[in-house]
Amino acid sequence: MQDCPYYVRAELLGDKLARNLPDFKIHKIVKTTAEWPEWLCEICEANGWKHEQSPIIWRELVDRGGKGVLIGGSNEFEEYAYGYYGVTIDLDGKSMKIIAYENQTTKIELDEEERERIRNEKFIKVCITNASSPVCFSLVDSLLSGKIFGKEKISLCLLDCDPAQTAELQYIAENIQNMAYGLLYLNVFVTSDCEKAFKGSRIIIFLDEVERKEEEKVHRWTERNAVLFGFYGTTLLKVAKSDTLLLVAGNNYMCLNMSILNEIVSHISSRNIIGVSKVIENQAKSVLAEKLPASSCSIDNVVILGSISNDYLIELDKTLVREFDCAVVGPATFSQPLNDIFHQQSWLKKEYVNEVSSRKHVNEMNLRHPTYHLIGHAITTTLNYWWNGLSSNAIFSATLISNGWYGVPEGIAFSFPVAFYLPLAYSVIENLSISENCREDMDLIIENLVKDRALFVVKDGKLISKVVSVESLPESEETDYSAFMSSRTPSSQRSDVLSFLLEEMVEEQEALERRRTKMSISSMPRGSLDSEHDLELENLDAIMPEEEVEEEISETALNTEDIEIEDNNNNPPAEETEQ
């Protein structure tokens, strides 16, 4: 420890031994007062030692980094030196304190010089959340090989909020370092602390997927997604720079998560938050290429509108096809509108979207594992277009925070057609011709996104959930989410989101009561079926229609009669059994 007088004594004794013994080597590790406890705990745990005071001294038997044997503190080291070499040191307490102060001052100066050196050395810090996901490993080559960032050095940080995943992240980090990428700056940093991970990051890639638990209600699943990204947003608000780029990937509630981040992290521009829509876009190209037939890479300008997590539309108004085998032939750059060469409009309207939606699941069933590389490729392609821009006028799909485009309310995340015309810049293509039916579908998607967003409010940089259980919901509870709705949506079409949840849960309870009632009827003895008082038919009418009740009673009576006949055939009368 830098200001420890006993460290001074041990240091000077070590220097004396090194000067007088040609084969005696000494290596010093200086830690600040703040760093010392954690470092001591780690070194003792790694070697199986027990030690509490500064300094700690050990002997390494072969070379530095080999197996270590603990000597102890300053007193034990002096005994060791005197016993083996007959060397001692004479130093009074006052001199020890003076030198300790000098050590402390020198340590502060050296640390500041190192920080200055790091600040002056150019590198890009990229942080990946939920880095224990297999998708993370599929991103590494593109991030560290120069395909995206050119010759820039990359400082890679792997984050998983679950401390139990730290060991797995260490294995991933070791594998990355074993690849010996020339653009990797220092070592891969592994942590479960969001503040350490986000601090200084230029790009943060969110790979979080909150899986739905078995029999979990949809609104509870929604809440768990929102709470996680609310936590991320609060942390970003503390430590992130205003130029940080946030790239959000995932299949579940991506639009909701982006909207929450945008509202909490107010100092980061909404243009610095992008969601990956290219997974669906690439699948749409693949399905269309099989039908033409053509190569999927020769199809451009396929647009995804909506929420890739739930409902989306595929717009082919500006789709172009290159290198298509037909009567009109041109150079490799020559393209033709899809509508001029493909005439199966009924397939496009009825079957196309369903085939695209099922493509991912079919691939996963055939591969017997999720399509990690498909997701990784979509992420790196989107990041490459965003970071470097494109000279062409090609149209791509990306989920953005709306600025009122296509009637989507401001602050709601939605997948739009975009052109990445310059590095770190994009423009939304606003001249797509949208049919009336497509417009109605878009309005439904927007309304669902608004309902999800209205379940949560942000107050003082923190997320507050409005999701409540049916038992704790007051009758007068209401939620006003009209501020999120577009002016094009009539107020008569809006419904209260909490009433929607209440109706959903009440319907589930009614279904449960119906099942219980049917079970109780079928288990009653035949004699009680004639008792109107026992069955309480006046209460059953409120749960089941009268016709269903009569049918259920008659069916149960027949079943009960069959059982009694079978019993009479197989079992003796009760009196004979007693005899």
Side-chain angles (χ1 to χ4, degrees):
M1 195 162 60
Q2 63 182 11
D3 57 349
C4 175
Y6 292 99
Y7 172 82
V8 173
R9 194 175 184 88
E11 179 187 25
L12 293 177
L13 178 58
D15 290 341
K16 187 176 182 179
L17 290 170
R19 286 194 303 269
N20 292 285
L21 300 172
D23 295 328
F24 189 92
K25 300 290 188 288
I26 182 171
H27 177 70
K28 306 171 187 177
I29 302 174
V30 183
K31 295 293 180 181
T32 63
T33 306
E35 296 170 338
W36 169 258
E38 183 177 355
W39 178 84
L40 178 64
C41 181
E42 290 177 358
I43 198 70
C44 288
E45 184 177 350
N47 292 278
W49 299 335
K50 290 184 179 180
H51 191 81
E52 297 179 356
Q53 302 297 325
S54 173
I56 181 173
I57 303 163
W58 68 89
R59 177 189 176 191
E60 293 176 352
L61 301 182
V62 184
D63 296 318
R64 182 170 165 239
K67 177 65 177 177
V69 176
L70 178 65
I71 295 176
S74 178
N75 292 337
E76 290 80 8
F77 183 46
E78 290 185 42
E79 293 175 4
Y80 178 90
Y82 180 75
Y84 272 83
Y85 309 109
V87 178
T88 60
I89 187 167
D90 186 15
L91 191 67
D92 59 80
K94 183 177 180 181
S95 300
M96 290 167 60
K97 290 182 180 179
I98 292 173
I99 298 173
Y101 177 76
E102 293 175 355
N103 284 345
Q104 183 179 10
T105 305
T106 304
K107 172 66 174 173
I108 293 173
E109 292 175 355
L110 292 175
D111 286 349
E112 182 59 33
E113 289 177 5
E114 178 66 13
R115 284 192 290 268
E116 185 66 24
R117 183 189 68 81
I118 293 175
R119 281 195 295 266
N120 293 334
E121 189 169 355
K122 293 183 179 179
F123 66 88
I124 300 171
K125 182 178 179 181
V126 179
C127 174
I128 302 176
T129 71
N130 192 30
S132 56
S133 166
V135 178
C136 172
F137 211 77
S138 65
L139 305 178
V140 171
D141 186 69
S142 296
L143 294 176
L144 300 179
S145 63
K147 296 178 182 178
I148 298 177
F149 303 107
K151 297 182 179 180
E152 294 278 358
K153 291 277 188 178
I154 305 298
S155 174
L156 186 61
C157 174
L158 305 182
L159 167 69
D160 197 307
C161 295
D162 184 4
Q165 297 295 329
T166 303
E168 184 176 347
L169 292 187
Q170 291 289 0
Y171 296 142
I172 296 174
E174 289 175 7
N175 282 326
I176 294 173
Q177 287 165 189
N178 290 340
M179 295 178 186
Y181 285 104
L183 296 178
L184 178 61
Y185 179 75
L186 300 179
N187 295 326
V188 179
F189 179 56
V190 171
T191 183
S192 59
D193 188 331
C194 287
E195 290 193 16
K196 290 181 180 179
F198 292 164
K199 189 174 183 180
S201 293
R202 182 71 172 91
I203 300 169
I204 302 175
I205 302 174
F206 295 91
L207 299 183
D208 299 88
E209 286 281 2
V210 178
E211 298 295 336
R212 185 178 180 182
K213 299 178 181 178
E214 188 176 355
E215 298 183 357
E216 183 179 26
K217 302 298 183 184
V218 174
H219 55 279
R220 290 302 175 195
W221 183 31
T222 307
E223 184 181 43
R224 290 197 299 118
N225 276 274
V227 167
L228 174 62
F229 276 81
F231 171 70
Y232 281 153
T234 304
T235 307
L236 287 167
L237 190 62
K238 294 179 183 177
V239 300
K241 297 181 180 179
S242 59
D243 63 347
T244 303
L245 305 180
L246 308 180
L247 186 64
V248 183
N251 296 320
N252 302 323
Y253 294 102
M254 189 175 74
C255 291
L256 173 63
N257 298 336
M258 289 177 60
S259 299
I260 290 172
L261 284 178
N262 175 62
E263 187 164 355
I264 294 178
V265 191
S266 55
H267 68 294
I268 296 179
S269 170
S270 61
R271 295 187 68 86
N272 285 8
I273 306 175
I274 284 185
V276 179
S277 302
K278 199 158 181 59
V279 175
I280 305 298
E281 180 187 327
N282 290 342
Q283 291 172 351
K285 290 181 178 180
S286 176
V287 172
L288 194 58
E290 292 178 1
K291 195 70 175 178
L292 281 172
S295 171
S296 57
C297 63
S298 65
I299 301 176
D300 298 322
N301 302 353
V302 174
V303 174
I304 308 299
L305 295 171
S307 166
I308 69 163
S309 305
N310 301 310
D311 301 317
Y312 56 84
L313 307 173
I314 303 176
E315 180 57 56
L316 304 174
D317 178 55
K318 294 185 177 295
T319 301
L320 301 175
V321 182
R322 291 177 283 106
E323 302 176 1
F324 184 66
D325 186 13
C326 62
V328 182
V329 180
T333 57
F334 174 72
S335 60
Q336 302 177 74
L338 176 67
N339 294 332
D340 292 351
I341 60 176
F342 188 74
H343 305 290
Q344 300 183 34
Q345 296 299 320
S346 60
W347 177 82
L348 289 176
K349 293 179 180 179
K350 297 178 181 179
E351 302 176 32
Y352 179 45
V353 175
N354 292 333
E355 289 192 23
V356 173
S357 301
S358 62
R359 174 57 61 95
K360 178 174 179 289
H361 302 291
V362 171
N363 289 341
E364 289 178 349
M365 289 178 61
N366 294 334
L367 293 171
R368 297 183 180 180
H369 63 75
T371 52
Y372 301 123
H373 294 290
L374 175 65
I375 301 171
H377 173 69
I379 293 171
T380 53
T381 303
T382 302
L383 180 59
N384 184 28
Y385 294 164
W386 190 15
W387 185 265
N388 297 305
L390 289 173
S391 57
S392 66
N393 295 323
I395 301 174
F396 302 94
S397 302
T399 302
L400 311 173
I401 303 298
S402 176
N403 194 25
W405 304 303
Y406 291 96
V408 180
E410 292 188 15
I412 296 296
F414 199 84
S415 182
F416 294 103
V418 297
F420 296 97
Y421 57 92
L422 287 173
L424 299 178
Y426 60 81
S427 62
V428 175
I429 309 301
E430 299 187 64
N431 59 348
L432 289 182
S433 59
I434 298 177
S435 65
E436 184 176 348
N437 292 336
C438 184
R439 180 71 255 178
E440 293 177 358
D441 292 339
M442 281 185 64
D443 287 341
L444 290 175
I445 296 172
I446 293 169
E447 185 173 354
N448 289 331
L449 292 174
V450 169
K451 285 180 178 180
D452 286 342
R453 181 64 191 87
L455 291 172
F456 309 94
V457 296
V458 175
K459 186 176 182 181
D460 299 329
K462 295 182 180 181
L463 186 73
I464 300 175
S465 172
K466 288 187 176 182
V467 178
V468 292
S469 64
V470 66
E471 293 84 0
S472 61
L473 181 65
E475 294 182 0
S476 60
E477 185 73 28
E478 293 183 355
T479 301
D480 179 18
Y481 60 94
S482 58
F484 294 95
M485 294 299 294
S486 168
S487 58
R488 66 179 297 113
T489 306
S491 58
S492 59
Q493 297 180 8
R494 304 172 191 164
S495 61
D496 183 81
V497 66
L498 289 177
S499 299
F500 168 80
L501 292 175
L502 180 59
E503 291 172 3
E504 178 183 281
M505 289 181 282
V506 167
E507 288 175 359
E508 292 175 356
Q509 287 186 346
E510 289 179 353
L512 180 61
E513 290 296 330
R514 292 191 190 101
R515 289 196 296 270
R516 288 175 178 171
T517 303
K518 291 179 180 180
M519 290 175 61
S520 64
I521 293 173
S522 61
S523 63
M524 284 182 182
R526 185 185 178 200
S528 64
L529 290 174
D530 298 328
S531 174
E532 184 174 320
H533 177 72
D534 291 339
L535 284 174
E536 295 181 355
L537 293 179
E538 63 274 17
N539 293 333
L540 281 172
D541 291 341
I543 301 174
M544 302 172 57
E546 184 176 354
E547 295 79 7
E548 293 184 15
V549 174
E550 293 175 355
E551 290 177 4
E552 190 68 37
I553 293 174
S554 60
E555 290 177 4
T556 307
L558 291 173
N559 293 335
T560 308
E561 184 175 357
D562 293 340
I563 293 172
E564 288 186 351
I565 293 171
E566 183 178 352
D567 289 343
N568 291 334
N569 293 332
N570 297 333
N571 298 323
E575 296 179 357
E576 294 179 5
T577 302
E578 291 177 358
Q579 294 176 0

